[in-house]
Amino acid sequence: MPKGTFITLIGIRVSKNHRERKKSFESTKNVTMSSRRSRSRQSPGASRISDDQIADLVSRLQQLIPEMRNRRSDKVSASKVLQETCNYIRSLHREVDDLSDRLSELLESTDSDSAQAAIIRSLLM
Amino acid sequence: MKTEKNLPRNPSSIKTRFAVKFLQAMNKMNKRKNPSTSMAVKYKRYQFIRAAATSSMASAVGPRRAWSRAVLRKMRNHTAIHRFPMNNKTRTTRRFPITRRKRSSILRGNPRQEDDLGFGQEDDLRGLVPGGQGMDFCRLLSETAHYIKCLKTQVQVMTNVLHHYST
């Protein structure tokens, strides 16, 4: 067996042990929902805090999305919030692209003097 | 008057910092104006404006957010690659840390499992938010919230600039 595979297997073994150990300390890089969930079956006390944190963050996201701002948070599933977040981010990206397109068209049509004046005006706004 | 409403209440807010940087980039681009209006030049200008918007936003936010750090890193690598385009060996390959999906498939041999949080959306979100691949879920959510706020500011400022150009 080549050396690389051996090291990978060790790495997987180590991470599996980390997962099964009951830990209250969570490293920010390696904790994921699945590992948190398996820990929750063993030690509900430690994971309840992070579940609340996640619910809080999800409700904060919900406030930011315009379509979902008025709905009550207990009626909306977290999965729906995530989905709407993705759609909203995509629509914002599209809007930025569209604005860049219009700005580039404007830049080529106006002469440099009036463009400079417009820029200075918007800086002063 | 409309300009009264637009006066920045906080001169060092992210909005103002972004507006200044973005307009400086636009001004720089305007100075080396190209009289030709071929499709290639138009597309390049559009790409430049879009890149200027993204990088101005990231540099206005600074290094305190993971997503802005990721954007700035990408910009730096992009300019480095373009300045020294020859050697493929010197280009650093980006190593993705093992995400939840990959780890579960390695350990259990299962395909991606759906549970009530719907990890299909989580992976989508990781793809949308810059730097989203290496974060845990909590971090991803808070970065997303800040990213959305900054995107909204970006759209607002760019719309204002557009209006000023067209009047």
Side-chain angles (χ1 to χ4, degrees), chain B residues 70 73-74 77 91-97 129-134:
Chain B
R73 212 182 307 137
K74 210 192 302 181
N77 289 344
R91 196 200 291 209
T92 54
T93 52
R94 208 162 133 217
R95 277 158 41 215
F96 288 97
V129 175
Q133 298 291 343

Side-chain angles (χ1 to χ4, degrees), chain A residues 57-65 81 85, chain B residues 141 144-145 148:
Chain A
L57 287 168
V58 167
S59 71
R60 251 217 297 169
L61 270 182
Q62 190 188 335
Q63 293 301 310
L64 286 175
I65 304 171
V81 172
T85 311
Chain B
L141 289 182
T144 308
I148 288 183

Side-chain angles (χ1 to χ4, degrees), chain A residues 30-76:
Chain A
N30 296 324
V31 168
T32 59
M33 244 342 254
S34 60
S35 58
R36 216 178 281 131
R37 170 152 306 195
S38 64
R39 227 180 287 138
S40 76
R41 287 194 211 106
Q42 299 158 13
S43 58
S47 68
R48 198 167 292 140
I49 306 170
S50 50
D51 281 347
D52 283 343
Q53 264 183 345
I54 288 186
D56 184 45
L57 287 168
V58 167
S59 71
R60 251 217 297 169
L61 270 182
Q62 190 188 335
Q63 293 301 310
L64 286 175
I65 304 171
E67 296 103 44
M68 301 185 76
R69 205 174 292 168
N70 301 320
R71 295 203 212 151
R72 284 182 49 197
S73 54
D74 50 351
K75 286 190 182 162
V76 181

Side-chain angles (χ1 to χ4, degrees), chain B:
Chain B
M1 248 187 57
K2 200 176 179 187
T3 42
E4 230 107 357
K5 211 169 37 154
N6 286 339
L7 273 176
R9 292 194 200 96
N10 180 5
S12 67
S13 68
I14 288 183
K15 183 173 177 179
T16 322
R17 289 204 300 265
F18 164 66
V20 168
K21 287 181 201 265
F22 181 57
L23 289 167
Q24 282 171 343
M26 297 269 281
N27 210 12
K28 208 189 294 184
M29 188 179 97
N30 214 25
K31 288 211 171 117
R32 42 181 167 98
K33 221 166 98 96
N34 198 337
S36 98
T37 54
S38 69
M39 285 303 286
V41 172
K42 275 191 200 177
Y43 188 63
K44 212 172 175 189
R45 205 176 286 149
Y46 154 73
Q47 272 186 317
F48 180 85
I49 292 186
R50 202 174 48 162
T54 314
S55 62
S56 313
M57 194 70 231
S59 96
V61 167
R64 60 170 180 255
R65 280 283 170 176
W67 69 264
S68 61
R69 287 198 296 269
V71 171
L72 291 170
R73 212 182 307 137
K74 210 192 302 181
M75 294 281 162
R76 266 203 302 267
N77 289 344
H78 189 76
T79 48
I81 288 172
H82 275 248
R83 259 184 223 147
F84 312 104
M86 298 212 307
N87 234 340
N88 269 333
K89 292 180 211 161
T90 55
R91 196 200 291 209
T92 54
T93 52
R94 208 162 133 217
R95 277 158 41 215
F96 288 97
I98 297 180
T99 60
R100 180 213 56 83
R101 190 205 284 186
K102 281 190 201 161
R103 192 191 295 187
S104 71
S105 64
I106 290 172
L107 292 174
R108 300 191 214 110
N110 279 346
R112 168 165 44 107
Q113 295 179 0
E114 295 293 322
D115 58 20
D116 51 62
L117 264 191
F119 283 127
Q121 286 87 31
E122 177 189 339
D123 291 334
D124 284 342
L125 197 58
R126 283 184 194 274
L128 283 172
V129 175
Q133 298 291 343
M135 301 176 198
D136 65 88
F137 192 56
C138 258
R139 193 81 185 277
L140 179 69
L141 289 182
S142 82
E143 291 288 317
T144 308
H146 191 259
Y147 184 57
I148 288 183
K149 263 194 278 188
C150 292
L151 275 180
K152 280 204 239 186
T153 315
Q154 193 175 359
V155 166
Q156 202 179 354
V157 170
M158 287 174 81
T159 316
N160 284 342
V161 172
L162 198 65
H163 284 162
H164 276 254
Y165 258 111
S166 25
T167 51

